[in-house]
Amino acid sequence: MRIYRYIIAGLIALGLLLNVGATEEQEGFYYKEKVTQSDLYGVWAVAVEEGDASLLNMSILQKNGEGLDIYILKDRVDSFKLRQHYRWEFLEEKQLYIQHIWKITIQTNEDIEEEFPDSSGSAKVKIMMLDHDIAGLVFEDDSGESTTLLKISPESMRDILQKIDMKGLE
């Protein structure tokens, strides 16, 4: 699908824009020196549009250790939606995020599949700060690949999800 080319280009551009560092004493943008588990609670998302193609990547990290990822890729012809349920934990001393995936629902156009993978993964975590407020989250896996998500409000999340057809992904 040609949509992946747009997604990759958008994520690379976002990564380049945000790949700067500073100390906590500075104003503006910087990475928090030490991440705490409570820093991770909330709704995180990134959306990219390029021509007729669009991507939404949203993660919800709850205080009770449950999480939900929603990925939506669309272009004029095709649509791909994924909903991933998991348990998560954060090892503060190692600054390590661990995710245990237990259910994945995938919708490609009108076809829907469910998987129960019982798989785990981990990533180093960085918190992006903007003028002393949490602005974003960066996950970096063992291969060095990173995913950047920006903090959004629960109200924004509800607005986004109301505009998206999540039929079959409940």
Side-chain angles (χ1 to χ4, degrees):
M1 241 165 65
R2 68 177 186 273
I3 193 169
Y4 292 112
R5 182 177 63 223
Y6 297 122
I7 294 164
I8 292 168
L11 292 175
I12 289 171
L14 180 63
L16 291 173
L17 287 172
L18 296 175
N19 193 16
V20 295
T23 64
E24 286 202 50
E25 292 79 37
Q26 292 181 318
E27 293 292 320
F29 175 80
Y30 59 93
Y31 287 106
K32 187 173 181 185
E33 198 170 301
K34 183 167 172 65
V35 178
T36 64
Q37 181 162 323
S38 63
D39 291 334
L40 304 179
Y41 302 149
V43 183
W44 307 87
V46 66
V48 178
E49 289 189 39
E50 180 68 37
D52 294 330
S54 63
L55 159 76
L56 171 67
N57 178 356
M58 183 181 296
S59 292
I60 304 163
L61 300 175
Q62 300 179 70
K63 292 179 183 179
N64 67 0
E66 295 198 12
L68 174 66
D69 290 340
I70 298 170
Y71 303 97
I72 300 173
L73 311 168
K74 289 183 177 185
D75 66 12
R76 253 188 274 167
V77 178
D78 296 305
S79 151
F80 173 84
K81 300 174 187 174
L82 181 141
R83 191 172 173 119
Q84 180 172 271
H85 297 266
Y86 54 90
R87 300 237 1 113
W88 69 276
E89 60 183 304
F90 183 65
L91 307 177
E92 287 186 26
E93 65 281 355
K94 294 181 180 181
Q95 298 289 280
L96 187 67
Y97 170 87
I98 301 171
Q99 184 180 74
H100 309 282
I101 302 165
W102 59 272
K103 180 181 177 184
I104 298 174
T105 306
I106 302 168
Q107 179 179 352
T108 305
N109 297 321
E110 297 302 318
D111 298 326
I112 298 174
E113 296 177 38
E114 281 191 347
E115 299 175 6
F116 299 90
D118 192 27
S119 63
S120 297
S122 64
K124 292 288 186 180
V125 176
K126 291 192 274 187
I127 291 288
M128 300 182 312
M129 303 294 291
L130 181 61
D131 295 333
H132 307 290
D133 292 322
I134 294 175
L137 174 64
V138 179
F139 292 108
E140 186 175 315
D141 67 18
D142 291 337
S143 71
E145 187 173 320
S146 65
T147 300
T148 301
L149 301 169
L150 303 177
K151 182 104 177 177
I152 65 170
S153 70
E155 294 78 25
S156 294
M157 175 199 68
R158 282 191 273 289
D159 291 345
I160 292 167
L161 293 178
Q162 283 179 355
K163 293 176 186 175
I164 297 170
D165 177 17
M166 295 300 289
K167 181 180 171 187
L169 292 179
E170 297 83 22

